[in-house]
Amino acid sequence: MTALPEPSSGAATTHRVTVLRIGPRTAVVLVLASLIGLAMFCWPLLSPPEPEAIAHGGHAPLLFVLLLPVVLAVVLAEITEGGLDPKALALLGVLAAVNAALRPLGAGTAGIETVFFLLILAGRVFGPGFGFALGTVSLFASALLTAGVGPWLPFQMMAAGWVGLGAGLLPRRATGRAETALLVCYGIVAAYAFGLLMNLWFWPYATGDGTELSIDPEAGVLDNLHTFGVYTLVTSTLGWDTGRALTNAAAILALGPAVLTTLRRAARRAAFTAPVTFAAPAGPDDIGIGNTTGTAPEHGTAATAAPGRPVPPPAASSTPSRP
């Protein structure tokens, strides 16, 4: 087998390998699951809790915490319905393990998150289905590694899945520095969006009741949305989210081109999109009847005759023999 040549430059560098294909039915399931997940994130605006529920509840509604993993499982099962290629499974496991190992290096320090830049680059190279699966699996694995399992974990998994999904849906035309700039901008936007969503589902219980930043069950959606905007700006956007955005931008600028090249080379080596073909079985004419070695006889050599038949004499050579 000959190795595929490395692309030098141009459009070939933005070639994307769709490791986990998203068919029409899978796309419908993914959209419906995303809408359900978004409703779970936005529940404080859609159904504001009463003060008594805030005072006696230490976490988000248990129904959402239990239902969201089911939604994630349905989406992952639908994405891998056609069968998960062993090479794709190995690649998913390796990248998820790398992300799980990278996250403890920065999580908890000024919002520095080292888990998203690899997720964005992998989603860019391997497609939206792989990006969604990598985001959910990476956050689950890192939570087990860092003892970060809690009611927030399903929400983190869904939000990270959306980050990888969005990276796989970015335009393919960008190349070189334009592609790096596109990924940097996406990393910044994704960092702030992730922080906003994670704040939204926990907001009523983080502020309690009766403060200027608390949710008001009697107010309208716009009033509560304005209050939430002030809350997330003060508590998260100017601190943790900005640290996450700067980390994404710096990591993609410094390591993005090299990591993209490595991932694309791995995709070509693995040949995820190569069609599987089967050769026709060898017949008697291919191996030669009576050839004890199983190979066709060479020209100018005596062949072994079938049982009961005389061995034919060798053909006379036209080249005169030397004395």
Side-chain angles (χ1 to χ4, degrees):
M1 180 181 296
T2 57
L4 296 176
E6 301 290 337
S8 56
S9 61
T13 59
T14 60
H15 176 67
R16 183 172 63 198
V17 178
T18 305
V19 176
L20 299 178
R21 297 187 178 277
I22 298 180
R25 191 178 73 174
T26 305
V28 172
V29 172
L30 186 56
V31 170
L32 292 177
S34 297
L35 291 177
I36 295 173
L38 187 61
M40 293 181 185
F41 276 101
C42 298
W43 73 269
L45 300 176
L46 302 177
S47 180
E50 296 296 331
E52 295 80 7
I54 297 176
H56 295 89
H59 46 74
L62 183 61
L63 176 63
F64 294 160
V65 176
L66 296 178
L67 183 59
L68 195 54
V70 177
V71 174
L72 289 170
V74 170
V75 175
L76 293 177
E78 183 63 30
I79 289 177
T80 59
E81 181 196 17
L84 189 59
D85 187 274
K87 294 178 290 187
L89 180 61
L91 180 64
L92 179 63
V94 169
L95 293 181
V98 172
N99 260 344
L102 286 176
R103 195 179 187 197
L105 299 179
T109 306
I112 298 175
E113 285 279 5
T114 52
V115 70
F116 288 103
F117 90 95
L118 182 58
L119 171 60
I120 293 172
L121 298 178
R124 171 68 173 173
V125 174
F126 298 116
F130 187 87
F132 184 89
L134 179 61
T136 56
V137 174
S138 295
L139 267 293
F140 180 75
S142 65
L144 295 180
L145 184 63
T146 60
V149 179
W152 54 83
L153 179 57
F155 295 91
Q156 289 180 334
M157 293 171 61
M158 177 63 82
W162 285 337
V163 172
L165 176 70
L169 295 175
L170 292 175
R172 302 187 186 186
R173 294 181 178 274
T175 61
R177 294 182 179 179
E179 182 183 25
T180 303
L182 175 65
L183 294 175
V184 168
C185 294
Y186 178 78
I188 294 174
V189 173
Y192 286 109
F194 182 87
L196 186 144
L197 287 174
M198 293 305 299
N199 286 339
L200 182 57
W201 76 273
F202 196 66
W203 165 43
Y205 300 105
T207 57
D209 181 39
T211 69
E212 295 182 357
L213 300 178
S214 300
I215 190 170
D216 185 0
E218 298 180 357
V221 174
L222 294 180
D223 292 336
N224 282 326
L225 187 61
H226 176 266
T227 304
F228 169 72
V230 176
Y231 162 77
T232 192
L233 180 66
V234 173
T235 62
S236 177
T237 303
L238 298 179
W240 291 86
D241 297 345
T242 300
R244 185 184 302 113
L246 292 176
T247 303
N248 290 347
I252 294 174
L253 279 175
L255 305 175
V259 174
L260 286 174
T261 302
T262 302
L263 294 178
R264 283 167 178 151
R265 183 182 295 115
R268 287 191 297 272
R269 299 284 185 180
F272 292 106
T273 58
V276 179
T277 58
F278 298 93
D285 295 336
D286 298 326
I287 61 175
I289 295 295
N291 187 354
T292 58
T293 61
T295 58
E298 297 289 340
H299 176 71
T301 60
T304 304
R309 294 186 182 180
V311 178
S317 176
S318 58
T319 304
S321 59
R322 296 181 181 181

